[in-house]
Amino acid sequence: MKVLKFGGTSVANAQNILLVEKIVRKESSENRVVVVVSALSGVTDGLISAAESASAKNENYSETIKTLEEKHLEFVKNLLPITEQSSWLSFVKKNFNDIEDICNGIYVLGEFTPRIKDKITAYGEFLSSNIIAAKLKSDGLDCVWLDSRNYIKTNSNFTDAKVNFETTNAALQTYFKENKQQITLAPGFIASDVDGNITTLGRGGSDFTASIIAAAVNAKELQIWTDVSGMMTADPRLVSNAKIIHKISYQEAMELSHFGAKVIYPPTIQPAIESGIPIEVKNTFNPQAPGTYIESSPPETRGKIRGISGSSN
Ligand code: ASP
């Protein structure tokens, strides 16, 4: 099994989903895969901004919600065949009605708690993952949508919930033993606490979801698909001939990331590292490029130095 994570820019619009689909089609022809997706680009920020406006008694929140709804309606229209659109358009509308109801509540009460914040931001991944799964199914792929909230269990530390790995791993392992679809598509970022309240894993948490699943199922590989071709030997804005690092150790990747190489955020890939699962950083927009392969003991480079990073001042 392999786990493939696609971030916000990779799933920004219908056109990009075609690139994602091509990658998933290829990978799933060789392995069972779990695909973890982020919300469409900008949607998490948009949802937070709507709720914040509502809590500040700024009526503009309705406009923000309308814009986000439009974005998803367009996404469905550009992605799915006409015969399948109407149920998904209703799905989007229903969810945005719920979002509007929640924001109306925030507006009236003037209260925007972390618990409500998770409830609101969760819609981003919930919507993107459902629509993308529908697209893959519609194109004949053996794909099932998995509700991460029922499997990734956390404490009630809303907006930055801590995972209960024992419960989570057991739930995921049982699920994947009993369900054998070639492609399982799951929303990143979202989870739930023991009482069933929606929680989230912190901003950028979709990498964490993918890493948790990869570790739980002892995946062959965790692939992080993003909009750059991997980690670089130096900051390309400062060093014009910086090159992609093709192989790097977990330790080195973490060290480079601590000083600004923002391709991966070490805490989010910890579960995969602890399980010794290789992590490949790949570019959705240039899938042929080799990317960066992060593993426990990569071969040494000629000059011994893997890369250079620093912090300014
Ligand atoms: N959508 C969430 C965020 O923007 C999680 C993620 O994309 O990883 O933080």
Side-chain angles (χ1 to χ4, degrees):
M1 194 125 82
K2 287 190 180 180
V3 178
L4 283 61
K5 182 259 171 177
F6 293 91
T9 48
S10 297
V11 299
N13 52 46
Q15 212 178 343
N16 293 2
I17 298 302
L18 301 182
L19 304 175
V20 169
E21 180 170 357
K22 211 165 160 189
I23 294 162
V24 171
R25 198 181 274 279
K26 178 168 179 294
E27 290 293 337
S28 66
S29 69
E30 292 155 11
N31 288 282
R32 275 176 78 197
V33 298
V34 182
V35 178
V36 174
V37 296
S38 288
L40 307 191
S41 155
V43 168
T44 310
D45 287 336
L47 291 166
I48 294 172
S49 145
E52 280 173 348
S53 302
S55 75
K57 300 263 179 222
N58 177 347
E59 280 165 16
N60 282 349
Y61 71 89
S62 295
E63 271 315 301
T64 310
I65 296 172
K66 271 276 151 287
T67 309
L68 293 172
E69 179 174 354
E70 244 345 283
K71 186 185 179 88
H72 286 83
L73 293 173
E74 275 305 297
F75 188 58
V76 168
K77 286 182 201 156
N78 292 331
L79 204 57
L80 294 172
I82 213 111
T83 47
E84 287 171 40
Q85 281 180 17
S86 83
S87 64
W88 287 102
L89 293 174
S90 313
F91 171 83
V92 169
K93 285 191 182 140
K94 188 207 166 286
N95 279 283
F96 275 96
N97 285 343
D98 294 347
I99 292 169
E100 178 120 47
D101 283 347
I102 298 170
C103 286
N104 291 342
I106 296 172
Y107 180 84
V108 171
L109 296 172
E111 201 170 279
F112 181 33
T113 63
R115 178 170 150 177
I116 304 285
K117 189 170 185 177
D118 278 356
K119 207 173 156 64
I120 282 268
T121 52
Y123 280 98
E125 270 72 7
F126 179 76
L127 286 159
S128 68
S129 62
N130 267 289
I131 300 167
I132 297 166
K135 165 68 177 165
L136 299 188
K137 277 191 253 182
S138 154
D139 287 348
L141 290 166
D142 179 27
C143 174
V144 65
W145 179 76
L146 178 78
D147 191 346
S148 308
R149 294 171 301 184
N150 297 340
Y151 295 87
I152 302 197
K153 301 301 288 186
T154 66
N155 66 9
S156 305
N157 188 12
F158 297 105
T159 75
D160 191 19
K162 295 293 160 267
V163 173
N164 179 334
F165 280 97
E166 213 176 303
T167 326
T168 300
N169 289 341
L172 287 168
Q173 284 156 7
T174 308
Y175 176 84
F176 284 104
K177 214 173 283 159
E178 290 169 358
N179 296 274
K180 303 280 185 202
Q181 272 86 6
Q182 200 62 13
I183 303 166
T184 304
L185 197 140
F189 182 56
I190 63 179
S192 69
D193 69 7
V194 280
D195 299 319
N197 295 306
I198 298 173
T199 57
T200 65
L201 306 176
R203 295 304 305 270
S206 293
D207 282 357
F208 197 35
T209 304
S211 179
I212 292 165
I213 297 176
V217 303
N218 195 22
K220 244 197 246 176
E221 192 175 293
L222 166 61
Q223 299 178 351
I224 308 273
W225 288 88
T226 175
D227 52 7
V228 294
S229 293
M231 300 186 77
M232 302 195 76
T233 51
D235 184 340
R237 288 165 303 185
L238 303 175
V239 180
S240 60
N241 63 346
K243 294 181 179 58
I244 300 288
I245 301 172
H246 295 305
K247 285 175 184 280
I248 188 169
S249 71
Y250 294 135
Q251 186 64 36
E252 291 163 335
M254 289 200 284
E255 281 173 22
L256 281 183
S257 308
H258 280 304
F259 298 104
K262 289 281 181 305
V263 181
I264 53 159
Y265 177 54
T268 62
I269 50 167
Q270 203 57 41
I273 294 179
E274 276 168 22
S275 304
I277 295 165
I279 300 163
E280 210 175 350
V281 179
K282 296 272 288 175
N283 188 345
T284 305
F285 306 95
N286 185 9
Q288 259 71 47
T292 297
Y293 197 78
I294 312 171
E295 59 188 324
S296 59
S297 20
E300 294 222 330
T301 44
R302 201 157 32 105
K304 303 252 195 257
I305 293 172
R306 203 75 71 172
I308 295 176
S309 70
S311 35
S312 46
N313 301 315

